[in-house]
Amino acid sequence: MPNTGVEWRASDQLVPYLHAVQEMEARVKAIREGNAQEMVWLLEHPPLYTAGTSARPGDLLVPDRFPVFQTGRGGQFTYHGPGQRVAYVMLDLNRRNPDIRCFVRNLEEWIIRSLRHFGVTAERREKRIGLWVANNGREDKIAAIGVRLRKWVSYHGVAINVEPDLSHFSGIIPCGIADGPGQPFGVTSLAKLGITATMADLDLALKAEFEEVFER
């Protein structure tokens, strides 16, 4: 019989990117074969850039700044690093709803609801990936989304900026930001918005809202 329920795992130490990918791939295989529960893995990475399937070489502005990893998830270049909550979501969409657009929209809704716990209004934007915060005429990106499916089991997931070093984003043109010269888009975080939330605070909100979005 397949295992039921979703396991929540939180890593206290920075997790190397390739180790995380190996762990996810093993878990996805086990979920697919009915040998493991679905899982949400909460973690932080050391500073690095990842290139999604739509990444353009010219968007890597400083190639030797941090390690760069090619990844099978959708999207373009993304930064990961300390102070950013990464949530890798491994769900069996065969049993839930095998609809990738619905799944991505649910991930967006999950982030939107979770950030409301801290008084932050995160919003979708047409033709721009991720979640955005309006800020004095600008729109700053606070969360990124990049997923992959293997036989309708998901992996990779979302990244929410809690208190990362935002200068690290300057080595790339992050997904959905550079649409032309002078565009009023940037990157923000809970800390930059003046919110002193901890990772543990965000994790509690994510877990509560996950049940509302994915288990209803």
Side-chain angles (χ1 to χ4, degrees):
M1 291 290 292
N3 287 284
T4 58
V6 177
E7 177 186 350
W8 285 76
R9 174 180 173 187
S11 296
D12 295 330
Q13 304 297 318
L14 299 181
V15 179
Y17 183 74
L18 291 181
H19 173 73
V21 171
Q22 291 169 354
E23 290 274 328
M24 282 193 288
E25 290 179 343
R27 186 62 172 240
V28 165
K29 181 175 184 292
I31 293 170
R32 212 173 58 231
E33 294 172 349
N35 296 322
Q37 294 172 277
E38 298 172 303
M39 184 168 77
V40 177
W41 186 9
L42 304 171
L43 55 86
E44 296 171 75
H45 286 304
L48 59 94
Y49 299 130
T50 63
T53 54
S54 301
R56 297 168 294 194
D59 288 347
L60 180 60
L61 304 178
V62 188
D64 58 352
R65 186 171 190 181
F66 298 126
V68 180
F69 297 95
Q70 301 294 321
T71 178
R73 63 155 176 81
Q76 301 171 27
F77 279 102
T78 300
Y79 167 77
H80 293 310
Q84 182 189 71
R85 175 51 90 213
V86 174
Y88 287 137
V89 182
M90 288 155 270
L91 299 181
D92 186 354
L93 301 189
N94 291 291
R95 296 194 293 110
R96 292 171 173 271
N97 181 10
D99 183 328
I100 182 60
R101 293 192 181 199
C102 179
F103 178 58
V104 171
R105 191 161 186 86
N106 281 342
L107 290 173
E108 293 170 342
E109 183 67 19
W110 182 36
I111 298 169
I112 290 169
R113 287 170 175 248
S114 297
L115 291 180
R116 282 182 192 152
H117 287 235
F118 309 100
V120 174
T121 301
E123 300 173 324
R124 301 175 178 92
R125 286 294 180 265
E126 189 72 24
K127 298 183 180 179
R128 275 191 265 139
I129 300 168
L131 278 302
W132 301 78
V133 176
N135 183 20
N136 296 322
R138 294 177 53 85
E139 291 186 340
D140 294 334
K141 191 171 187 176
I142 195 166
I145 298 174
V147 296
R148 187 175 183 182
L149 299 178
R150 184 163 291 172
K151 295 185 179 179
W152 288 107
V153 179
S154 68
Y155 59 123
H156 296 282
V158 307
I160 303 170
N161 297 332
V162 178
E163 195 175 6
D165 184 338
L166 295 179
S167 71
H168 289 178
F169 285 88
S170 64
I172 57 171
I173 298 177
C175 296
I177 287 185
D179 293 334
Q183 44 75 18
F185 308 139
V187 181
T188 193
S189 65
L190 292 179
K192 187 174 181 181
L193 294 172
I195 297 164
T196 57
T198 66
M199 287 290 177
D201 294 332
L202 178 58
D203 292 349
L204 287 173
L206 287 169
K207 190 166 186 178
E209 296 301 336
F210 183 91
E211 293 181 3
E212 289 295 318
V213 173
F214 289 98
E215 305 292 356
R216 63 193 175 192

